[in-house]
Amino acid sequence: TNNQCTTRDSISLSFNQSPNVSIGGPQVLCDGDEIILDATFAGATYLWSDNSFGPTLRVSEGGMYWVEVQADGCVTRDSVVITKYNRPNLDLGKDTVLCSQTSFLIDPKLSANGAQYNWQDNSTNPTLNVTSTGEYWVEVTMGSCIVKDTIQVTFSELSNLTLGDDRVECEGDMVVLDVAFPRATYQWQDNTSSATYIATE
């Protein structure tokens, strides 16, 4: 209104919804694995830190990743830090046979810092001392990396080994000496290595 003159105008305002986007908080990644970051929003366009334009990003390396999502003229940006761990090289060794009344220390010998151990008996020490026959395993976790290995330990008893009493045989006779024992190796006085020995003199 100006003196006796009046005029009117109007405008319609609408507020578009900003894209509701989250690609997650800090995450850890094990070497050889992948993480898919998902920024999907209906009707949106995308720009990732590697200049790709899809709704998702496949990540296999550590670092900071970000995405810009635009929909209806509104832009939202989110970022995430990915930490990558190397997978522990776990090896408990070959299956082992030992004499009874001894013990055996199972030692994964991992030098990785921050490794967590879980043995089959729920112990969490980095090593395990065993005194009985059985299958033993450990699961090692470091970050998101989980590795597992198993070893069979057998304690064997050889106390019943005997060649028998001293004896006298007739010339031309043969005497079979038999010391067969499970999983054993043999060495006779003439360096033969079978489980039996035929004596003829």
Side-chain angles (χ1 to χ4, degrees):
T1 299
N2 183 11
N3 295 325
Q4 302 299 316
C5 301
T6 299
T7 188
R8 168 179 281 188
D9 194 15
S10 64
I11 186 172
S12 177
L13 297 178
S14 63
F15 291 88
N16 293 327
Q17 180 182 358
S18 296
N20 183 17
V21 174
S22 174
I23 53 177
Q27 301 182 53
V28 292
L29 174 69
C30 190
D31 62 321
D33 293 341
E34 291 183 330
I35 293 176
I36 296 179
L37 303 178
D38 191 346
T40 301
F41 189 84
T45 59
Y46 310 89
L47 175 63
W48 291 90
S49 49
D50 66 346
N51 292 319
S52 61
F53 302 101
T56 62
L57 181 67
R58 192 178 299 271
V59 173
S60 60
E61 297 295 334
M64 189 188 79
Y65 297 86
W66 55 261
V67 62
E68 283 185 353
V69 180
Q70 180 173 339
D72 295 327
C74 300
V75 177
T76 297
R77 178 171 175 152
D78 195 26
S79 62
V80 65
V81 174
I82 306 293
T83 302
K84 182 178 179 180
Y85 286 96
N86 292 322
R87 196 180 302 273
N89 184 20
L90 177 63
D91 185 8
L92 297 183
K94 296 180 179 179
D95 293 347
T96 302
V97 178
L98 301 166
C99 293
S100 60
Q101 299 179 346
T102 61
S103 63
F104 181 65
L105 183 66
I106 305 177
D107 186 356
K109 296 181 180 178
L110 290 179
S111 59
N113 293 327
Q116 297 177 333
Y117 301 84
N118 182 34
W119 296 88
Q120 81 291 328
D121 63 353
N122 293 321
S123 63
T124 56
N125 296 322
T127 61
L128 184 70
N129 194 54
V130 299
T131 57
S132 59
T133 296
E135 184 178 80
Y136 298 90
W137 57 262
V138 65
E139 189 176 77
V140 178
T141 303
M142 192 173 72
S144 65
C145 302
I146 300 176
V147 290
K148 184 177 180 179
D149 196 23
T150 302
I151 185 173
Q152 175 72 36
V153 180
T154 302
F155 289 89
S156 180
E157 178 61 69
L158 287 174
S159 62
N160 59 351
L161 176 64
T162 178
L163 294 177
D165 296 332
D166 293 346
R167 55 201 291 185
V168 177
E169 297 290 338
C170 293
E171 186 175 353
D173 288 346
M174 293 188 305
V175 177
V176 178
L177 305 175
D178 189 345
V179 290
F181 195 87
R183 297 180 301 276
T185 58
Y186 312 89
Q187 182 181 9
W188 295 88
Q189 74 285 337
D190 61 355
N191 290 322
T192 55
S193 57
S194 64
T196 59
Y197 185 84
I198 299 177
T200 59
E201 59 182 3

